[in-house]
């Protein structure tokens, strides 16, 4: 039995592909980029499609420039920021140190504030002066009535010495200052003999303030500082005014110095703008 000539190899292969129950996959032309998906103009009225769930919503959310309120731009523009709650507000820092404190600051040190002791520290001296004056008046009158001139003179001298001692204590209270900078805390005291005690903020390991019942009534407290060293020039600092505010200032200077600089920068910008 004779057979006809066999078809070429390429022709038989093409016939086998044609006999398959498949469709050829069209190839994308390099010159034609894939078409971008079309979105409806009104995304709210777009029909729900499980395959594109979230596409319209994301496009509506991120399409276009973002919008911000004036309050959000206030801090960036250097304007007035939102008010801080009263319970955690820190009062504005002092502009510059007094001449009593400036002499103990080096040029690169940034002054943060100084405080005199609370007036409660002079309570004892005030009571002594009032009591001595009342007693002197009563005794001097009785001695004058009985013609005791020498004793009356001695009573007046004693009263004058007591008043001078009280005045000395008041002057010492006036020159006693607690000073805070960005590097350290200091206590400067004394009139003729000056005592300067200081502790670097980096060495402060623990700090607390104690406020008794009378301290809460009159607004003063006692600070206790702990450091890594054994010999501490500053440990107990008594009768400081506004202890809660002072505590926040010291802690902020220790842990958030950038916040202090930012607040001072905003305050300086507001003063330059005349607000």
């Amino acid at each position: 039995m004779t057979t006809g000539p066999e078809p070429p190899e390429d022709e038989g292969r093409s016939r086998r592909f044609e006999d398959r129950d498949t469709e050829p996959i069209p190839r994308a032309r390099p010159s034609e980029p894939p078409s971008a998906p079309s979105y409806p103009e009104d995304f709210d009225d777009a029909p729900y499609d499980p395959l594109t769930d979230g596409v319209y919503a994301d496009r509506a959310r991120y399409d276009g420039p973002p919008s911000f309120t004036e309050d959000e731009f206030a801090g960036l523009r250097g304007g007035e920021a939102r008010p801080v709650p009263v319970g955690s507000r820190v009062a504005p820092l002092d502009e510059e140190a007094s001449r009593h404190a400036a002499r103990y600051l080096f040029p690169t040190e940034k002054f943060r504030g100084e405080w005199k002791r609370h007036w409660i520290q002079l309570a004892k001296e005030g009571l002594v002066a009032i009591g001595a004056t009342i007693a002197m008046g009563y005794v001097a009158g009785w001695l004058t009535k009985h013609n005791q001139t020498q004793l009356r003179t001695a009573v007046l001298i004693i009263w004058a010495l007591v008043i001078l001692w009280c005045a000395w204590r008041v002057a010492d209270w006036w020159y006693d200052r607690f000073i805070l900078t960005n590097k350290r805390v200091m206590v400067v005291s004394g009139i003729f003999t000056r005592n300067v005690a200081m502790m670097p903020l980096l060495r402060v390991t623990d700090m607390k303030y104690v406020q008794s019942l009378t301290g809460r009534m009159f607004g003063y407290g006692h600070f206790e500082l702990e450091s890594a060293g054994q010999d501490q020039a500053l440990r107990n600092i008594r009768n400081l005014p506004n202890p809660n505010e002072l505590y926040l200032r010291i802690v902020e200077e220790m842990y958030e110095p950038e916040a202090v600089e930012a607040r001072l920068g905003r305050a300086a910008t507001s003063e330059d703008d005349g607000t």
Side-chain angles (χ1 to χ4, degrees), residues 181-202:
T181 69
N182 65 328
K183 301 291 185 182
R184 53 182 173 160
V185 293
M186 292 186 296
V187 172
V188 180
S189 59
I191 300 177
F192 297 107
T193 302
R194 305 292 286 178
N195 298 318
V196 181
M198 76 95 179
M199 179 183 294
L201 291 177
L202 295 177

Side-chain angles (χ1 to χ4, degrees), residues 36-249:
S38 61
Y39 301 94
E41 295 181 358
D42 191 358
F43 294 100
D44 295 335
D45 299 335
Y48 175 77
D49 188 359
L51 299 179
T52 60
D53 186 16
V55 174
Y56 297 147
D58 293 342
R59 183 178 176 85
R61 186 183 302 115
Y62 298 108
D63 193 11
S67 60
F68 300 95
T69 62
E70 291 295 331
D71 294 339
E72 294 174 343
F73 275 113
L76 300 177
R77 293 174 179 174
E80 183 179 359
R82 293 182 178 180
V84 183
V86 178
S88 60
R89 184 176 180 83
V90 179
L93 298 175
D94 298 330
E95 296 181 358
E96 58 182 11
S98 64
R99 62 185 183 88
H100 304 291
R103 66 183 66 179
Y104 304 107
L105 305 179
F106 52 89
T108 58
E109 195 171 15
K110 297 180 181 180
F111 173 76
R112 299 307 190 199
E114 62 177 307
W115 296 264
K116 294 190 294 290
R117 307 280 182 147
H118 194 269
W119 59 263
I120 199 68
Q121 186 164 338
L122 298 175
K124 180 178 66 175
E125 288 76 5
L127 293 176
V128 169
I130 294 174
T133 303
I134 295 175
M136 183 273 302
Y138 177 78
V139 174
W142 187 84
L143 293 175
T144 302
K145 183 177 179 180
H146 293 80
N147 295 324
Q148 301 291 332
T149 307
Q150 296 180 353
L151 291 177
R152 185 187 61 183
T153 303
V155 169
L156 292 176
I157 293 175
I158 294 174
W159 173 80
L161 293 176
V162 171
I163 295 301
L164 287 176
W165 176 80
C166 294
W168 175 269
R169 296 289 297 175
V170 172
D172 186 67
W173 167 83
W174 176 261
Y175 284 99
D176 191 357
R177 305 293 175 90
F178 178 83
I179 305 170
L180 173 65
T181 69
N182 65 328
K183 301 291 185 182
R184 53 182 173 160
V185 293
M186 292 186 296
V187 172
V188 180
S189 59
I191 300 177
F192 297 107
T193 302
R194 305 292 286 178
N195 298 318
V196 181
M198 76 95 179
M199 179 183 294
L201 291 177
L202 295 177
R203 292 187 57 187
V204 178
T205 59
D206 188 16
M207 180 184 65
K208 68 176 181 178
Y209 74 90
V210 180
Q211 198 171 20
S212 61
L213 179 60
T214 56
R216 297 180 63 182
M217 293 174 58
F218 297 106
Y220 69 93
H222 314 303
F223 276 74
E224 296 181 5
L225 303 179
E226 298 288 344
S227 67
Q230 296 180 356
D231 297 333
Q232 302 174 13
L234 290 179
R235 180 177 176 85
N236 296 323
I237 310 173
R238 303 183 61 82
N239 301 328
L240 288 178
N242 302 323
N244 187 68
E245 175 190 340
L246 185 55
Y247 176 82
L248 291 176
R249 284 197 179 188

Side-chain angles (χ1 to χ4, degrees), residues 73-81 265-270 273 275:
F73 275 113
L76 300 177
R77 293 174 179 174
E80 183 179 359
R266 290 196 298 267
T269 305
S270 301
D273 296 340
T275 56

